[in-house]
Amino acid sequence: MPGRYQQLSADHIIATLERLHARILARFPESGLARVCAELIETGRTSVTEAAELARPDYLWRGATAALVIAGLIAQIAAFRFLHLERISGTAPELLQALEAAVSLLILFGSAVWFVLTLEERIKRQRVLDALHRLRSLAHVIDMHQLTKDPTILLDAQKTPASPERTMSHFQLTRYLDYCSEMLALIGKLSALYAERMRDGVVIEAVNDMETLTTGLGRKIWQKITLIGVLDEKGAGG
């Protein structure tokens, strides 16, 4: 069994999301970010349940698969008996025709067995990719919420009629950006739950792409937070 700190705790991820939602509501009760976080909690709960389901083997499907393979083997044996290879004369054309038929049957049977044996894995893989798509969409929505939170507006810059309304203080803007960064990091952890429970190479690669996406978006946010700190220091120095 894996150690206590060798795998992610789904319950702790959801609990962290709920605490983050409470923190956002405390500072920005009417913000769209709070509603996005609430939706992320629901999506996270769905992801936790789905990841646990995907980790469990489907014994009913595996039993049906084994029955199909056995039935196929029986059909192959019956087909070989039907060919009556022992009755074929030694002429080359007849022998080649019989061998060709036998090889074709083996190829078709092997392809069918491979398709059936990998069908469960491919169905689970598609479910994971659909779930990751939902999480990816939420990551981009969070990025849109922080997009107009420009630290340079804290300077005495001239606004234009098209400039977005910005009423946050230095501290509020920092907290807002930090909440966005935390939400992105938690999306990455929800994605990692699928990779923990499935050893499929396609799934692991897709999860790694999600980690790269959320890390890149979070890095942009932290650049803004760092800029706010620099502006604060310059303001204090001035």
Side-chain angles (χ1 to χ4, degrees):
M1 293 295 292
R4 180 180 178 186
Y5 298 107
Q6 294 181 18
Q7 62 180 0
L8 291 170
S9 171
D11 293 338
H12 288 170
I13 294 175
I14 298 300
T16 303
L17 274 171
E18 291 173 343
R19 286 195 297 270
L20 177 59
H21 184 234
R23 289 161 57 200
I24 296 173
L25 284 176
R27 294 196 185 277
F28 309 104
E30 303 298 328
S31 67
L33 189 65
R35 293 189 289 273
V36 174
C37 190
E39 185 170 344
L40 179 57
I41 291 173
E42 294 304 316
T43 303
R45 288 171 179 158
T46 301
S47 297
V48 168
T49 302
E50 192 172 40
E53 290 177 356
L54 293 174
R56 292 192 293 267
D58 190 340
Y59 292 111
L60 180 61
W61 172 253
R62 293 186 181 185
T65 300
L68 286 172
V69 172
I70 293 172
L73 285 172
I74 295 173
Q76 286 290 305
I77 295 171
F80 276 112
R81 288 183 176 178
F82 178 76
L83 289 175
H84 297 294
L85 294 176
E86 70 280 358
R87 298 181 184 177
I88 296 176
S89 61
T91 60
E94 292 181 352
L95 183 60
L96 285 175
Q97 185 178 6
L99 288 175
E100 183 181 358
V103 170
S104 298
L105 285 173
L106 285 173
I107 292 174
L108 288 174
F109 177 68
S111 300
V113 168
W114 178 256
F115 176 82
V116 171
L117 290 177
T118 59
L119 187 58
E120 178 188 2
E121 180 182 2
R122 286 184 283 113
I123 291 174
K124 289 184 175 181
R125 178 192 301 165
Q126 188 58 50
R127 289 181 61 187
V128 172
L129 294 179
D130 291 341
L132 293 179
H133 179 73
R134 293 193 298 269
L135 292 172
R136 185 182 294 108
S137 298
L138 278 171
H140 285 295
V141 170
I142 295 168
D143 186 53
M144 285 297 298
H145 274 76
Q146 67 84 29
L147 197 60
T148 58
K149 305 302 183 289
D150 187 1
T152 58
I153 201 62
L154 298 174
L155 301 172
D156 293 329
Q158 175 125 13
K159 294 183 180 180
T160 68
S163 297
E165 187 67 24
R166 297 181 175 97
T167 59
M168 293 184 186
S169 64
H170 287 214
F171 177 77
Q172 289 176 325
L173 184 57
T174 301
R175 299 314 303 147
Y176 190 96
L177 293 173
D178 185 48
Y179 295 151
C180 290
S181 177
E182 289 186 41
M183 289 172 66
L184 289 170
L186 288 167
I187 286 177
K189 300 314 171 197
L190 287 171
S191 303
L193 287 175
Y194 292 101
E196 274 193 348
R197 289 157 173 77
M198 290 187 66
R199 302 304 174 93
D200 184 272
V202 176
V203 169
I204 293 174
E205 183 179 356
V207 170
N208 287 338
D209 289 342
M210 279 294 301
E211 290 278 2
T212 301
L213 171 66
T214 54
T215 300
L217 295 177
R219 187 178 295 114
K220 290 195 307 181
I221 294 174
W222 275 101
Q223 288 175 349
K224 290 185 177 183
I225 294 174
T226 302
L227 182 56
I228 294 173
V230 172
L231 294 175
D232 285 340
E233 289 179 1
K234 288 184 176 180

